Amino acid sequence: RIDKPTADAFLLANHLQGSPSAKYKYGLFLPSRYYRVLKNTDLLDLTATELLVAVATFGSTKKYYRANEIAKSGELIRVASLAHFSVVGGFEKLLKKYIEEVAPDDIMTYVDADWSDGKTYSERGFELIEKISSTEFWVNPLTFERIAAKREAMPEGWLKVWNTGSWKV
C-alpha cells in the first residue's frame, strides 16, 4: 500500500487523467539491484533504494444484491506505469494484492475507448458489461486542460470536444 501523496504524485506525472480520490492505493516498486535492466534512465533517480514503477487505485467496495445474496463489488479507478516504461506483469501483481487484501466478489472499471479496446482487461478475466456513450468536454487549446462540459457557458477560448465513450468492464 502507498499513501495518498505518493499515489497523487505518480498519477499526476504518469496518467493522462491525473489522480482521483481512492480508498485503496497500491504501488509496485523495483529494488535498486534490478536497475541494470532499465533503459532510458536519464530522468530517473538511480540513487534511490527503490523505484516506483506502477500504481493502481481502487474505490470503496459497494454492496449489492446478486442472485438473492449480498455481493461486495470493488472498482478499479486508475492504473498506470512509469511513463515510457512497460511493467510486464505489473497490473496483475497490483490487482492480486488488492484481491488478497479486500476480497471483493467482483471488480469493475471503466476503460476509455479513446485509448483502449479493453483487450488488456478481457485477457485478465474482466467481461464487457456495457458501452458508455461519448462525453462532451471543454479543452483549453493552450494548456490542453480538460473539464467536463456543464450547462453553463463554455469558458472563453476553450474548444468543445467529444471522446469516443468508454467500456464498463
Side-chain angles (χ1 to χ4, degrees):
R1 299 265 310 249
I2 58 175
D3 60 19
K4 180 174 176 34
T6 302
D8 287 347
F10 187 89
L11 290 170
L12 287 170
N14 298 287
H15 196 286
L16 289 172
Q17 294 178 331
S19 184
S21 294
K23 181 171 183 175
Y24 302 97
K25 297 162 271 305
Y26 298 93
L28 188 61
F29 292 85
L30 181 70
S32 61
R33 68 182 176 272
Y34 296 110
Y35 287 177
R36 59 186 159 67
V37 303
L38 299 175
K39 297 178 182 173
N40 305 325
T41 59
D42 297 343
L43 302 176
L44 303 177
D45 176 10
L46 299 180
T47 63
T49 58
E50 59 186 7
L51 177 65
L52 182 58
V53 294
V55 165
T57 64
F58 299 83
S60 298
T61 57
K62 295 179 178 44
K63 293 181 180 178
Y64 67 95
Y65 283 99
R66 179 174 63 198
N68 295 322
E69 292 183 7
I70 294 178
K72 183 168 69 168
S73 181
E75 180 181 359
L76 170 63
I77 299 175
R78 291 279 191 278
V79 63
S81 59
L82 189 61
H84 311 295
F85 288 86
S86 289
V87 182
V88 177
F91 176 55
E92 290 86 351
K93 287 180 182 181
L94 294 165
L95 194 58
K96 181 180 177 184
K97 185 64 178 172
Y98 170 75
I99 292 168
E100 286 174 2
E101 185 174 311
V102 180
D105 296 309
D106 62 53
I107 303 169
M108 60 77 59
T109 192
Y110 295 95
V111 180
D112 189 329
D114 285 343
W115 301 100
S116 173
D117 60 3
K119 185 177 176 185
T120 299
Y121 295 90
S122 63
E123 289 174 346
R124 282 143 189 89
F126 287 79
E127 297 175 9
L128 176 64
I129 298 170
E130 68 179 305
K131 173 75 163 96
I132 310 295
S133 60
S134 64
T135 304
E136 185 178 49
F137 294 93
W138 293 328
V139 174
N140 181 322
L142 300 175
T143 65
F144 298 105
E145 178 184 359
R146 179 179 92 163
I147 57 174
K150 305 250 187 313
R151 290 193 177 118
E152 305 90 43
M154 180 171 43
E156 186 175 334
W158 288 50
L159 304 171
K160 187 183 290 188
V161 298
W162 292 263
N163 69 7
T164 54
S166 58
W167 305 98
K168 183 176 181 181
V169 297

